[in-house]
C-alpha cells in the first residue's frame, strides 16, 4: 500500500514495509530512514519526559497524602490532649454546674420570702448541725421570713453564753434579737475532730465565695451518685462530680420529705435544695432588695431631672436661636 504526494516538484512515496522519499529538486535525495530514526529519538524523549512527569506527579501525590495523614494525626493528638486537659480540669476543679433560672436575679426581681422561710427551716433542721452562719443575727429574719414575735420566741429557745458579770464570771442567758445564730462547734479544732479532719465552712457568704455560687451549691446538693467505673473514693468520703476532686466529706443530706414545711409545700429533695439556696443567697446579700429599690428610685429621679434640664435648656435658648439679625449696610 503506497501513498504519494507531489507538491512543488517533490514526490513523496511511502509504503508500510518499505518507504523511500525522493526529492527531485536541486539534485538532493534523502532517505526516509534517517527521518524515521529522528522521529524515534523524539518519541523516546517524549516518552521519557512523560514518564518523568508521571513519576513526579506520583511523588507529589504521595507527599500530599503523607502530609494529610500527618495533619490528621496532629489534629487527633490535639483533640486528645484537649479532652485530657478538660477531663483533668473537671477532676481538679469539679464539673461545671448547670445554669438555673433563679427568680430573684433580675434587676426588677426580688427574693421569694416564702422560699426564704422554707430555706431557713432546711438550714435549721439539716445544715445547722455542721455549718455556722456567723453573719446573720436573729433580727435579720424580722419582716423577711418571720414576724418580730416569732423571731423573739425562736431566740428565747437558745441559751447564749454571755459575760462576764459583776463577779467576773461567764453566764448563760436566753437569746435575744441582737444575738447571732448559734454555732454548732465552739472552735475549728472541735469541728475538724467531729468531721474526720474536714472543716465545714461557714455558709454566710458561700454563694459569693464559690464560682457561680447559687448554681454550684444547688448542683452540689443534688449531685451525689455512685462513683463511675475506675474511680475509687476512700472510706469516709462520698463521690460528687461537682465538688473539686470529686470526693467530699459531707454525706448526702437532703432526702424527700426530710423536712416538714410550715406552709404544707411538698418537701421533695429538689424543693429543699432550691429553698436552702434561696435562703443562702439572701443571707449573703440581705440588703439586695433594698439596693434594687433604691436603684429604681434614683434612676426615676435622674430621668425626671434630665427631662427638666432638656426642657429648661430649650426654653432658655429658643428666643436667642430663633431671632433674626439684620445688618444695615447703607448706614
Amino acid at each position: 500500500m503506497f501513498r504519494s504526494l507531489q507538491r512543488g516538484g517533490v514526490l513523496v512515496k511511502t509504503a508500510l514495509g518499505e518507504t523511500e522519499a525522493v526529492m527531485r529538486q536541486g539534485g538532493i535525495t534523502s532517505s526516509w530512514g534517517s527521518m524515521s530514526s529522528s522521529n524515534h529519538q523524539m518519541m523516546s524523549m517524549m516518552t521519557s519526559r512523560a514518564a518523568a512527569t508521571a513519576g513526579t506527579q506520583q511523588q507529589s501525590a504521595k507527599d500530599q497524602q503523607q502530609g494529610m495523614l500527618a495533619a490528621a494525626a496532629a489534629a487527633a493528638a490535639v483533640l486528645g490532649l484537649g479532652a485530657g486537659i478538660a477531663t483533668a480540669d473537671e477532676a481538679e476543679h469539679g464539673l461545671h454546674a448547670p445554669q438555673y433560672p433563679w427568680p430573684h436575679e433580675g434587676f426588677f426581681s426580688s427574693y421569694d420570702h416564702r422560699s426564704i422561710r422554707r430555706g431557713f427551716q432546711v438550714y435549721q433542721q439539716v445544715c445547722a448541725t455542721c455549718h455556722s452562719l456567723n453573719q446573720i443575727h436573729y433580727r435579720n429574719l424580722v419582716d423577711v421570713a418571720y414576724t418580730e414575735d416569732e423571731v423573739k420566741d425562736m431566740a428565747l429557745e437558745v441559751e447564749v453564753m454571755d459575760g462576764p458579770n459583776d463577779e467576773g464570771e461567764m453566764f448563760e442567758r436566753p437569746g435575744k434579737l441582737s444575738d447571732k445564730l448559734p454555732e454548732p462547734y465552739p472552735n475549728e479544732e472541735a469541728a475538724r475532730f467531729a468531721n474526720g479532719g474536714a472543716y465545714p465552712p461557714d455558709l454566710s457568704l458561700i454563694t459569693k465565695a464559690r464560682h457561680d455560687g447559687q448554681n454550684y451549691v444547688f448542683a452540689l446538693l443534688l449531685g451525689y451518685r455512685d462513683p463511675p467505673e475506675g474511680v475509687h473514693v476512700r472510706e469516709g468520703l462520698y463521690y460528687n462530680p461537682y465538688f473539686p476532686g470529686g470526693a467530699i466529706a459531707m454525706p448526702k443530706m437532703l432526702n424527700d420529705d426530710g423536712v416538714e414545711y410550715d406552709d404544707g409545700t411538698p418537701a421533695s429533695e429538689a424543693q429543699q435544695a432550691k429553698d436552702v439556696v434561696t435562703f443562702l443567697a439572701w443571707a449573703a446579700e440581705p440588703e439586695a432588695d433594698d439596693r434594687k429599690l433604691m436603684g429604681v428610685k434614683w434612676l426615676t429621679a435622674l430621668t425626671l431631672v434630665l427631662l427638666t434640664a432638656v426642657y429648661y435648656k430649650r426654653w432658655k435658648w429658643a428666643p436667642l436661636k430663633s431671632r433674626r439679625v439684620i445688618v444695615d449696610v447703607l448706614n
Side-chain angles (χ1 to χ4, degrees), residues 1-3 12-21 30-33:
M1 182 178 180
F2 297 92
R3 183 176 58 186
V12 180
K13 184 183 291 185
T14 62
L16 293 176
E18 181 181 0
T19 303
E20 184 179 15
S30 61
S31 174
W32 184 265

Side-chain angles (χ1 to χ4, degrees), residues 186-203:
N187 50 60
E188 180 178 343
E189 287 72 17
R192 291 188 181 276
F193 179 78
N195 292 277
Y199 180 60
D202 181 81
L203 299 183

Side-chain angles (χ1 to χ4, degrees), residues 102 104-105 111 133 201-219 221 273-286 288:
W102 298 101
H104 52 264
E105 286 190 335
Y111 286 112
L133 206 64
D202 181 81
L203 299 183
S204 301
L205 300 174
I206 193 66
T207 58
K208 298 297 182 182
R210 300 293 186 269
H211 174 69
D212 199 13
Q214 298 180 62
N215 295 318
Y216 166 75
V217 175
F218 184 83
L221 292 174
K274 182 256 185 184
D275 290 335
V276 75
V277 169
T278 301
F279 169 72
L280 294 176
W282 167 83
E285 288 185 292

Side-chain angles (χ1 to χ4, degrees), residues 45-320:
M45 292 176 61
M46 292 176 63
T47 303
S48 60
R49 288 182 180 179
T53 303
T56 303
Q57 293 178 351
Q58 292 179 357
Q59 184 65 27
S60 177
K62 185 176 181 181
D63 294 341
Q64 185 177 5
Q65 185 178 6
Q66 291 179 353
M68 293 176 64
L69 291 176
V78 170
L79 292 177
L81 180 60
I85 292 175
T87 304
D89 183 73
E90 289 181 0
E92 180 181 358
H93 301 288
L95 190 66
H96 187 70
Q99 300 297 308
Y100 300 101
W102 298 101
H104 52 264
E105 286 190 335
F107 184 78
F108 296 100
S109 303
S110 62
Y111 286 112
D112 182 356
H113 290 258
R114 289 176 295 181
S115 183
I116 293 176
R117 179 172 179 139
R118 294 193 299 266
F120 179 71
Q121 288 184 252
V122 176
Y123 168 78
Q124 268 194 320
Q125 301 179 31
V126 180
C127 308
T129 56
C130 297
H131 296 275
S132 60
L133 206 64
N134 289 329
Q135 303 299 320
I136 298 299
H137 298 71
Y138 283 105
R139 63 172 178 265
N140 297 127
L141 300 173
V142 176
D143 296 333
V144 175
Y146 299 91
T147 64
E148 184 176 351
D149 293 336
E150 288 176 329
V151 178
K152 284 182 178 180
D153 294 338
M154 191 185 305
L156 289 174
E157 297 175 358
V158 179
E159 293 293 328
V160 179
M161 182 65 68
D162 201 353
N165 56 15
D166 296 338
E167 298 176 357
E169 296 179 355
M170 305 298 291
F171 62 95
E172 291 185 348
R173 60 167 177 80
K176 52 186 179 181
L177 293 180
S178 59
D179 292 327
K180 296 180 180 179
L181 296 181
E183 298 183 14
Y185 305 105
N187 50 60
E188 180 178 343
E189 287 72 17
R192 291 188 181 276
F193 179 78
N195 292 277
Y199 180 60
D202 181 81
L203 299 183
S204 301
L205 300 174
I206 193 66
T207 58
K208 298 297 182 182
R210 300 293 186 269
H211 174 69
D212 199 13
Q214 298 180 62
N215 295 318
Y216 166 75
V217 175
F218 184 83
L220 182 72
L221 292 174
L222 301 180
Y224 288 91
R225 62 199 66 181
D226 295 331
E229 185 177 357
V231 176
H232 302 282
V233 180
R234 68 178 176 86
E235 186 179 358
L237 298 180
Y238 305 89
Y239 180 73
N240 193 318
Y242 297 101
F243 187 76
I248 185 172
M250 182 180 71
K252 177 179 172 63
M253 300 300 296
L254 300 182
N255 298 285
D256 291 339
D257 299 324
V259 176
E260 185 177 355
Y261 287 136
D262 295 338
D263 58 1
T265 301
S268 64
E269 182 181 352
Q271 182 67 48
Q272 295 174 57
K274 182 256 185 184
D275 290 335
V276 75
V277 169
T278 301
F279 169 72
L280 294 176
W282 167 83
E285 288 185 292
E287 73 289 349
D289 287 348
D290 294 334
R291 288 194 288 108
K292 290 181 181 179
L293 183 59
M294 183 62 67
V296 172
K297 291 180 178 179
W298 272 101
L299 289 177
T300 303
L302 291 176
T303 302
L304 294 177
V305 170
L306 177 62
L307 294 176
T308 304
V310 171
Y311 175 79
Y312 180 78
K313 179 258 182 186
R314 292 178 63 87
W315 172 78
K316 186 69 174 178
W317 289 93
L320 298 176

